[in-house]
């Protein structure tokens, strides 16, 4: 059977290559480019065709422009439907320019599919769990950031950032026509900056009282489109979709870019509707850039508001990121007066009862050459010269400006230096997070009917049915104490259905409470188990029992037995 499966994949690859010799190799991508939303969707479609027994591909909504919000569902469908297994949700690229997050999600999807027949670990994961992957949270914004010089935070929905009653009327402008918005320096005797004597690419601050040099003002590249005396103060969009979620949402004066109201954006509304309707989701991985660290909870409220057992859980799960990537873990919330509002990871905990994470990918654009604990402007340029042949920095070039006459345009290509890795480093970057991503999904609770027996009490008339249920997963079926305290997760339930038989003792529907996993017990411990005994009257031949365990997070398991 395995050989037939592999042969089908090879035939699919051959057909694909014949149809389009220029198409990316979907089975072994090079991971040396950033994918547009269309290219990302094509990869997902191709994988869904190549691995039909492991995937389902669907849209969970549409953007303002009508672009689909695609999710790839991955699990071994032959062993059970996706909704019957514990699941984990991964997304990326909510912020338009944070393109690496989409690539991490795409690479993870590919890694799972490609290695299913090669790795016992991956096979076990996809046989017993479900993975939901949404590479392009914000396809319209991501495409603008990737394919144009546009710089925007999130959605391209027009927004009045400077509160002048106009929308997106003063974006940056690509004055030198190189497809990148950098900076411009304008000579001004009262300017605050001067050219460095060490490296003319660097602008240093003017010293107090200094008068014997040429001084400059620095602006982002562009013109005053709305003639209000300000430059590039109201560009494309302005809403930050990761401030648009309902938990601790804030008005504009509290949280810049929060939107008109919670879930005002179709992308954020689709997210909450999808997660809320998939109770089997046991955690949320919300990919961002940059910095090379993990933002853990808390996010929009004080750490003191969390139950202590949940604090320990959050720390444990987050610290595995440090173990697997050797990168820092820091709390997202750090100042009660300056904290964020309306983030997805906060909603995921407080309103859905699971732990969520914001990995900030790409911390590689730094090297402390002199090992003094600081990475200076000069050291960044040294790294750029050594690794990118200087291409990450646009040298200062004179251009004509309608207001200032001749100015010089130049500076960092931020999108592909600070915000995202240059493509030559992309493959290494996306591979870095796979181990932690796998581990997160593997920690879910996992219910199993470990034993079911029929014992005759009165021949062909009465039997006892005994069943043992165990959580063989790591986490408890409630995941967090928050989920118990505020009834965010249903207790485990046992349902007994009889055919040609009737119940004498026991209940057809039994609440078993929540069941701990191996994190809180060992395999032999009774804490992770529940025992049920039923007395059943047989009403004739072919008497049967169907025993089902239901858990929001631990999965759904069924066994059928003959009672005669």
């Amino acid at each position: 059977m395995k050989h037939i499966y592999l042969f089908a994949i090879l035939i699919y690859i051959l057909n694909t290559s014949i149809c389009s010799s220029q198409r990316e190799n979907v089975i072994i991508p090079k991971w040396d480019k950033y994918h547009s939303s269309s290219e990302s969707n094509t990869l997902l479609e191709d994988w869904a065709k190549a691995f039909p027994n492991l995937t389902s591909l669907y849209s969970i909504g549409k953007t303002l422009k009508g672009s689909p919000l695609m999710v790839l569902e991955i699990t071994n469908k032959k062993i059970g439907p996706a909704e019957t297994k514990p699941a984990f949700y991964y997304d990326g690229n909510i912020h338009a320019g944070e393109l690496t997050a989409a690539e991490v999600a795409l690479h993870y999807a590919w890694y799972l599919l490609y290695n299913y027949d090669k790795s016992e670990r991956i096979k076990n994961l996809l046989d017993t769990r479900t993975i939901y992957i949404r590479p392009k949270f914000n396809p319209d914004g991501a495409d603008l950031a990737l394919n144009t010089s546009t710089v925007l935070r999130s959605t391209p929905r027009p927004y009045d950032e400077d509160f002048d009653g106009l929308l997106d009327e003063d974006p940056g402008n690509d004055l030198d026509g190189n497809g990148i918005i950098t900076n411009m320096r304008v000579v001004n005797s009262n300017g605050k900056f001067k050219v460095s004597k060490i490296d003319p690419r660097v602008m240093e601050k003017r010293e107090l009282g200094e008068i014997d040099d040429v001084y400059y003002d620095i602006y982002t590249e562009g013109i005053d489109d709305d003639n209000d005396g300000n430059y590039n103060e109201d560009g494309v969009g302005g809403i930050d979709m990761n401030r648009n979620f309902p938990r601790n949402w804030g008005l504009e004066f509290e949280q810049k870019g929060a939107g008109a109201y919670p879930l005002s954006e179709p992308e954020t509304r689709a997210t909450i509707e999808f997660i809320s309707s998939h109770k089997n989701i046991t955690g949320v991985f919300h990919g961002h850039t940059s910095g090379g660290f993990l933002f853990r909870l808390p996010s929009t409220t004080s750490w003191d508001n969390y139950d202590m057992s949940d604090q320990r859980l959050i720390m444990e799960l987050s610290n595995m990121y440090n173990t697997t990537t050797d990168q820092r873990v820091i709390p997202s919330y750090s100042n009660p007066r300056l904290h964020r509002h309306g983030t997805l990871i906060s909603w995921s905990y407080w309103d859905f009862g699971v732990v969520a994470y914001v990995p900030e990918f790409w911390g590689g654009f730094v090297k402390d050459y002199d090992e003094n604990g600081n990475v200076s402007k000069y050291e960044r340029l040294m790294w750029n010269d050594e690794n990118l042949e200087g291409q990450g920095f646009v040298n200062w070039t004179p251009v004509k400006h309608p207001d200032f006459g001749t100015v010089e345009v130049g500076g960092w290509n931020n999108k592909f230096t600070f915000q995202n890795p240059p493509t030559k480093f992309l493959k290494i970057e996306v591979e870095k997070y796979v181990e932690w991503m796998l581990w997160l999904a593997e920690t879910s609770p996992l219910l199993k009917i470990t034993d079911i027996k029929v014992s005759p009490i009165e021949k062909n008339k009465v039997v006892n049915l005994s069943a043992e249920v165990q959580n063989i997963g790591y986490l408890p079926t409630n995941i967090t104490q928050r989920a118990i305290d505020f009834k965010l997760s249903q207790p485990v339930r046992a349902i007994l259905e009889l055919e040609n038989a009737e119940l004498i003792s026991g209940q057809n529907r039994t609440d078993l409470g929540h069941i701990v996993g191996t994190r809180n017990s060992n395999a032999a411990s009774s804490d992770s188990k529940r025992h049920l005994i039923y007395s059943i009257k047989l009403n004739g031949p072919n008497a049967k029992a169907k025993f089902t365990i239901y858990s929001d997070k631990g999965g759904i398991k069924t066994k059928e037995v003959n009672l005669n």
Side-chain angles (χ1 to χ4, degrees), residues 453-488:
K453 291 180 181 177
V454 177
S455 304
I457 302 300
E458 188 175 346
K459 188 175 182 179
N460 295 325
K461 291 185 178 181
V462 178
V463 298
N464 276 355
L465 176 68
S466 62
E468 181 181 88
V469 177
Q470 184 173 7
N471 178 5
I472 61 172
Y474 183 67
L475 294 176
T477 56
N478 51 288
I479 309 294
T480 64
Q481 186 61 37
R482 168 76 181 177
I484 292 178
D485 293 344
F486 291 86
K487 296 181 172 60
L488 300 176

Side-chain angles (χ1 to χ4, degrees), residues 1 122 162 234 239 261 375 400 430 436 511 546 556 564:
M1 192 69 184
I122 303 302
D162 57 351
D234 195 351
I239 293 174
Y261 51 87
V375 178
K400 292 293 185 182
V430 299
W436 187 60
D511 282 3
K546 180 181 178 182
I556 301 171
N564 295 105

Side-chain angles (χ1 to χ4, degrees), residues 9 107 121 124 166 192 242 278-279 326 342 355 370 400 425 431 448 502 536:
I9 292 174
H107 175 266
R121 180 185 185 187
N124 181 64
L166 302 174
K192 296 180 179 179
N242 199 31
H278 290 74
K279 300 294 186 184
D326 199 31
V355 182
D370 59 11
K400 292 293 185 182
F425 296 105
E431 291 173 341
K448 182 178 181 180
E502 58 186 275
I536 301 169

Side-chain angles (χ1 to χ4, degrees), residues 62-80:
K62 290 186 176 181
T63 68
L64 289 171
K65 285 179 59 179
S67 303
L69 303 172
M70 302 305 296
V71 169
L72 186 66
E73 176 184 285
I74 305 178
T75 191
N76 184 347
K77 293 187 282 189
K78 290 186 175 181
I79 291 183

